[in-house]
């Protein structure tokens, strides 16, 4: 199979047969080339950042000679005391911790990596020697052995200022913090200045590194919750749906309440000195407002959905029955998740390296300072856009694979003859339609929110007929005219049309949309109800992951921006849930489009029988008979209520 196969598809949309074709050509090649060039830029940035950066310096700290504490280091040119193995020296100790000053972005005291902080006050050089002998922690510069502490002529210069106060390791940055009140106040003041002088980007990276264990744990929680949601939709029932909606309602209200409580706690904290604390409070205020407004909107929509719950359950039961015929479809979200996790880990590593990229400069005394590389750090917007686009690309590939398998199964008369539908769909994707996945992953997320707003306004105005609504309809028509013509047709049905007809994304979207508008409103509402229920499943995963994050991140919140890592976790949780639950979303939308094609091209006669099975027939007929949804008259039923007739063509 090659990219140069014969293209046996009519260019006239009216002559489309709407059946999976055997011979295709590559679609949306310019977008594939653009994506390749974009990724070339990402690879350049990633390689340069990984070579020049050292994310470990943010959290573990480093001494005055360029060694990261707690790590094995590489030597730095012209720095004689660099490149030491500090695996057993995990704490940063300042030789003059009681008289620190912070000037010109630099602390005025030498810093060393030590094995442990002094637990009691050391008043003499003999006490320093005894402490080093008993604890294996040398508090003087590396060029001195602890046996020379009492007789070396420069011991007073190369050893800490006496007396050395008792210290304890600070829980975040592993610094030895003096416990004496007078020394602690001075040290804390300088440390606050150091943290506040760090730019916002560095404080975010510090928060990510400091909470890395929480981030990993919350990601695992998101995967577990997503798996639970897949099981819920796979074995859906009325009882399970009501339990799910009850838990979601409780979660939305509880998370909003906790966010407001944490914001109140932050603004009333007596230690409200750090810039990071102020930033956390600002983010919490924003999160609280967004969470509250979002919860109100979702609860209103859930209340409006209550009349469609039973019909939506039947739709998912039909989708679950279909998935049971191709059980390996359940593994597709798992493969996608593994690819996404690998990419996310690489993305975070590059992000951390971008924030710490710098060139080492050695002074005359052998001390090392790192000069930031400002240019590479400002490329993080490019890197962030790469995260969104690439993640959407992987999800688009998954949707095309699932759509291809669904189409292959649906349009076969003898289902038993279908072999390897998933592998066949993967083959079509990789040989012909990667460009379509690229353009779809770029355009579809941009038009999703306007599409939802326009659809809601259209349904709302159609329910009322008066002068006001007619005027509003005309205004909306003028405002959205360009959107209506160019963007409204861009939805996931375009992938399915591409799999069937082998056409580019925009052509597929336009033709699939023109086909779907011939449906009675009940089909559109059925699809919207199913998509909304899946969206609630994603919100459920994000809601309870955020709740776990609020509990985990809030314990050590003093010196890092933990609100941003929490937002990052919420974003990852949504992508994980979207990866899992898009299986049902893809199957539902693909089945309804295939139903539309079936009705459009067949009439149920012996010459042109329908491809659909009895369950889908019964669902559509039952939904079409709903008095509230019946707009164009009932679809007539034949024997046993499963006979359907084709939908009338639009004039």
């Amino acid at each position: 199979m090659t990219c140069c196969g014969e293209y046996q598809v009519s260019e006239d949309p009216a002559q489309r047969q709407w059946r999976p074709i055997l011979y295709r050509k590559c679609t949306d090649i310019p977008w594939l080339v653009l994506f390749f060039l974009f990724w070339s830029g990402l690879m350049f940035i990633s390689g340069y950042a990984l070579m020049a950066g050292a994310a470990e310096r943010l959290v573990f700290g480093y001494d005055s000679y360029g060694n990261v504490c707690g790590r094995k280091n590489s030597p730095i040119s012209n720095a004689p005391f660099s490149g030491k193995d500090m695996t057993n020296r995990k704490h940063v100790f300042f030789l003059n911790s009681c008289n620190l000053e912070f000037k010109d972005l630099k602390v005025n005291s030498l810093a060393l990596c030590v094995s442990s902080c002094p637990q009691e006050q050391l008043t003499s050089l003999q006490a320093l020697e005894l402490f080093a002998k008993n604890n294996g922690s040398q508090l003087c510069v590396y060029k001195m052995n602890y046996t020379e502490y009492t007789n070396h002529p420069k011991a007073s210069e190369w050893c800490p200022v006496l007396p050395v106060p008792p210290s304890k390791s600070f829980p975040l940055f592993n610094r030895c913090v003096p416990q004496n009140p007078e020394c602690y106040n001075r040290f804390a003041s300088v440390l606050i200045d150091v943290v506040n002088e760090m730019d916002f980007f560095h404080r975010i990276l510090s928060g990510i590194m400091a909470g890395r264990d929480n981030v990993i744990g919350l990601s695992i929680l998101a995967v577990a919750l997503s798996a639970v949601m897949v099981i819920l939709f796979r074995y859906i029932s009325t009882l399970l749906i009501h339990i799910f909606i009850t838990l979601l309602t409780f979660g939305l209200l509880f998370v909003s309440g906790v966010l407001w409580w944490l914001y109140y706690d932050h603004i009333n904290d007596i230690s409200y000195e750090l810039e990071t604390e102020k930033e956390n409070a600002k983010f919490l205020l924003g999160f609280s407002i967004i969470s509250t407004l979002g919860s109100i909107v979702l609860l209103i929509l859930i209340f409006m959905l209550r009349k469609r719950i039973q019909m939506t359950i039947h739709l998912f039961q039909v989708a679950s029955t279909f998935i049971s015929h191709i059980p390996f479809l359940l593994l597709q979200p798992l493969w996608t998740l593994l690819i996404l996790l690998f990419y996310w880990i690489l993305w975070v590593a590059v992000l951390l390296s971008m924030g710490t990229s710098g060139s080492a400069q050695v002074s005359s005394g052998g001390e090392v300072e790192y000069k930031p590389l400002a240019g590479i750090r400002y490329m993080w917007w490019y890197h962030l856009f790469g995260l969104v686009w690439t993640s959407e690309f992987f999800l688009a590939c998954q949707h095309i694979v699932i759509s291809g398998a669904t189409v292959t199964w649906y349009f076969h008369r003898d289902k038993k003859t279908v072999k390897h539908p998933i592998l066949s769909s993967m083959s079509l994707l990789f040989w012909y339609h990667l460009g379509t996945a690229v353009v779809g992953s770029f355009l579809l997320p941009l038009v999703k929110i306007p599409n939802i707003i326009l659809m809601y306004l259209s349904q709302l105005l159609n329910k009322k007929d008066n002068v006001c609504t007619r005027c509003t309809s005309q205004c909306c028509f003028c405002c959205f005219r360009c959107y209506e013509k160019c963007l409204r047709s861009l939805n996931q049905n375009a992938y399915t049309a591409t799999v069937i007809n082998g056409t580019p994304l925009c052509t597929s979207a336009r033709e699939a949309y023109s086909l779907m508008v011939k449906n009675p409103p009940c089909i559109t509402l059925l699809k919207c109800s199913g998509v909304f229920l899946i969206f609630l499943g994603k919100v459920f995963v994000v809601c309870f992951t955020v709740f776990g994050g609020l509990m985990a991140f809030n314990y050590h919140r003093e010196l890092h921006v933990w609100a941003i890592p929490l937002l990052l976790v919420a974003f990852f949780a949504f992508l994980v849930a979207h990866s899992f639950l898009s299986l049902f979303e893809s199957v539902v939308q693909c089945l309804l489009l295939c139903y539309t094609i079936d009705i459009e091209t067949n009439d149920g006669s012996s010459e042109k029988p329908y491809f659909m099975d009895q369950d889908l027939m019964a669902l559509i007929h039952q939904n079409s008979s709903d008095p509230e949804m019946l707009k164009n008259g009932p679809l007539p039923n034949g024997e046993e209520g499963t006979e359907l007739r084709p939908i009338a063509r639009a004039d």
Side-chain angles (χ1 to χ4, degrees):
M1 186 178 295
T2 65
C3 192
C4 303
E6 185 180 356
Y7 191 49
Q8 296 182 350
V9 178
S10 172
E11 297 299 331
D12 185 6
Q15 298 179 7
R16 296 269 195 254
Q17 294 184 357
W18 285 97
R19 295 292 183 271
I21 62 174
L22 297 177
Y23 301 99
R24 301 167 180 262
K25 70 177 181 181
C26 292
T27 55
D28 299 299
I29 296 178
W31 280 93
L32 186 60
V33 175
L34 177 63
F35 192 63
F36 175 78
L37 295 176
F38 176 80
W39 252 88
S40 298
L42 280 181
M43 295 300 295
F44 171 78
I45 293 174
S46 301
Y48 189 77
L50 291 174
M51 291 291 295
E56 295 171 331
R57 293 201 304 264
L58 284 175
V59 172
F60 302 112
Y62 60 99
D63 61 15
S64 298
Y65 305 102
N67 299 298
V68 178
C69 299
R71 296 291 183 269
K72 189 174 182 179
N73 298 272
S74 300
I76 300 174
S77 178
N78 299 324
F81 299 107
S82 64
K84 291 183 174 294
D85 185 358
M86 298 296 181
T87 305
N88 297 322
R89 300 183 179 188
K90 301 181 179 180
H91 309 280
V92 180
F93 175 76
F94 293 95
L95 298 189
N96 192 9
S97 58
C98 285
N99 295 285
L100 289 183
E101 292 183 2
F102 184 69
K103 293 182 179 180
D104 300 326
L105 301 179
K106 182 180 178 181
V107 178
N108 67 333
S109 173
L110 282 177
L112 304 175
C113 295
V114 298
S115 302
S116 61
C117 303
Q119 302 299 314
E120 57 185 16
Q121 183 165 295
L122 306 177
T123 58
S124 64
L125 295 175
Q126 290 80 4
L128 290 177
E129 180 179 348
L130 184 62
F131 177 77
K133 182 178 180 180
N134 294 337
N135 297 276
S137 185
Q138 302 183 32
L139 303 183
C140 298
V141 295
Y142 303 137
K143 64 180 69 176
M144 290 181 60
N145 190 282
Y146 73 90
T147 58
E148 302 177 303
Y149 284 2
T150 57
N151 53 24
H152 197 283
K154 291 189 175 182
S156 59
E157 179 182 350
W158 291 348
C159 288
V161 176
L162 298 175
V164 179
S167 306
K168 63 178 180 179
S169 179
F170 198 77
L172 177 60
F173 290 137
N174 296 326
R175 270 67 170 179
C176 291
V177 180
Q179 293 180 288
N180 290 351
E182 60 276 8
C183 292
Y184 175 80
N185 292 335
R186 182 77 175 180
F187 188 93
S189 176
V190 172
L191 189 58
I192 288 174
D193 291 338
V194 171
V195 175
N196 287 341
E197 286 295 330
M198 293 170 62
D199 61 26
F200 179 65
F201 185 55
H202 274 85
R203 290 198 290 272
I204 291 175
L205 297 181
S206 298
I208 293 175
M209 287 296 293
R212 63 192 182 280
D213 294 335
N214 292 329
V215 170
I216 294 173
L218 292 170
S219 300
I220 296 174
L221 175 62
V223 173
L225 291 174
S226 300
V228 170
M229 295 310 302
V230 169
I231 296 174
L232 170 66
F233 288 123
R234 176 66 179 85
Y235 302 100
I236 195 168
S237 65
T238 304
L239 177 62
L240 288 177
I241 285 297
H242 282 91
I243 294 175
F244 159 68
I245 292 179
T246 301
L247 289 176
L248 177 61
T249 303
F250 168 78
L252 289 172
L253 296 176
F254 193 73
V255 167
S256 298
V258 170
L259 283 170
W260 282 111
W261 174 77
L262 287 176
Y263 171 69
Y264 178 81
D265 184 58
H266 269 67
I267 62 176
N268 289 280
D269 193 346
I270 58 175
S271 62
Y272 195 63
E273 302 179 82
L274 292 174
E275 193 67 27
T276 52
E277 283 287 276
K278 299 177 182 178
E279 289 166 353
N280 282 331
K282 293 178 182 178
F283 281 116
L284 279 174
L285 177 60
F287 292 166
S288 302
I289 294 174
I290 294 174
S291 175
T292 302
L293 295 178
S295 299
I296 293 173
V297 173
L298 286 176
L299 291 176
I300 293 174
L301 293 176
I302 290 172
F303 178 77
M304 296 172 60
L305 182 67
R306 72 191 190 283
K307 296 181 180 179
R308 304 289 300 168
I309 285 290
Q310 201 61 39
M311 197 64 66
T312 307
I313 291 174
H314 292 165
L315 175 62
F316 279 92
Q317 288 174 345
V318 172
S320 297
T321 302
F322 166 78
I323 293 175
S324 66
H325 295 303
I326 313 179
F328 285 107
L329 278 178
L330 292 171
L331 296 179
Q332 299 312 303
L334 180 60
W335 292 115
T336 304
L337 176 63
L338 293 177
I339 296 174
L340 285 173
L341 285 178
F342 175 78
Y343 173 68
W344 292 340
I345 292 172
L346 179 63
W347 184 87
V348 171
V350 173
L351 180 68
L352 295 174
S353 298
M354 288 174 64
T356 56
S357 57
S359 58
Q361 295 186 343
V362 183
S363 65
S364 58
E367 299 179 23
V368 177
E369 296 181 12
Y370 289 95
K371 183 179 181 181
L373 300 177
I376 189 69
R377 288 169 46 221
Y378 290 119
M379 295 181 182
W380 79 284
W381 286 108
Y382 187 95
H383 191 56
L384 179 63
F385 182 75
L387 170 69
V388 178
W389 193 5
T390 305
S391 299
E392 287 290 339
F393 169 73
F394 291 137
L395 294 172
C397 290
Q398 173 182 287
H399 187 92
I400 292 177
V401 170
I402 295 173
S403 297
T406 305
V407 166
T408 301
W409 181 271
Y410 188 98
F411 286 109
H412 268 75
R413 301 286 183 190
D414 187 3
K415 310 298 185 185
K416 296 181 180 179
T417 61
V418 180
K419 295 183 179 180
H420 312 299
I422 298 177
L423 293 179
S424 299
S425 182
M426 287 183 177
S427 177
L428 291 179
L429 169 66
F430 289 115
W431 285 105
Y432 298 110
H433 302 311
L434 281 177
T436 299
V438 169
V439 62
S441 62
F442 181 82
L443 293 180
L444 264 61
L446 296 179
V447 303
K448 188 173 295 183
I449 295 178
N451 198 357
I452 293 174
I453 296 174
L454 182 61
M455 184 178 297
Y456 176 75
L457 288 176
S458 177
Q459 294 177 3
L460 185 64
L461 295 174
N462 286 337
K463 292 180 180 180
K464 299 180 180 181
D465 186 16
N466 52 52
V467 177
C468 182
T469 56
R470 283 195 294 269
C471 293
T472 306
S473 298
Q474 291 297 325
C475 293
C476 290
F477 176 77
C478 295
C479 293
F480 292 108
R481 185 176 181 180
C482 179
Y483 176 81
E484 178 75 24
K485 290 183 176 180
C486 304
L487 301 178
R488 187 176 181 181
S489 60
L490 288 174
N491 53 54
Q492 292 185 349
N493 288 330
Y495 294 137
T496 306
T498 295
V499 169
I500 297 175
N501 293 326
T503 50
L505 181 86
C506 293
T507 302
S508 300
R510 184 171 58 251
E511 295 179 359
Y513 177 73
S514 64
L515 198 62
M516 289 295 291
V517 294
K518 301 175 183 179
N519 277 320
C522 60
I523 304 300
T524 302
L525 290 177
L526 182 62
K527 183 185 75 171
C528 292
S529 299
V531 172
F532 180 67
L533 187 60
I534 294 172
F535 177 74
L536 290 181
K538 300 173 187 177
V539 172
F540 179 89
V541 174
V542 174
C543 180
F544 282 90
T545 302
V546 169
F547 171 70
L550 290 173
M551 299 297 101
F553 282 117
N554 193 49
Y555 284 108
H556 299 293
R557 67 188 189 187
E558 291 83 2
L559 287 175
H560 60 96
V561 182
W562 60 268
I564 290 298
L566 181 61
L567 180 62
L568 187 64
V569 166
F571 174 70
F572 283 171
F574 182 82
L575 285 181
V576 169
H578 181 61
S579 174
F580 275 81
L581 298 181
S582 62
L583 167 65
F584 290 92
E585 185 176 357
S586 301
V587 169
V588 165
Q589 296 198 37
C590 188
L591 283 177
L592 292 177
L593 179 61
C594 289
Y595 159 79
T596 304
I597 297 171
D598 204 2
I599 291 298
E600 182 71 15
T601 57
N602 299 303
D603 56 11
S605 63
S606 57
E607 293 79 11
K608 291 185 177 181
Y610 294 123
F611 286 95
M612 71 185 78
D613 58 18
Q614 297 296 318
D615 291 337
L616 184 57
M617 275 186 167
L619 171 66
I620 299 299
H621 174 69
Q622 181 183 0
N623 191 53
S624 302
S625 302
D626 189 342
E628 296 184 2
M629 300 298 113
L630 201 55
K631 302 295 183 183
N632 297 335
L635 294 175
N637 62 301
E639 192 173 345
E640 297 182 357
T642 58
E643 183 72 6
L644 301 176
R645 74 178 184 184
I647 301 174
R649 292 180 178 271
D651 295 334

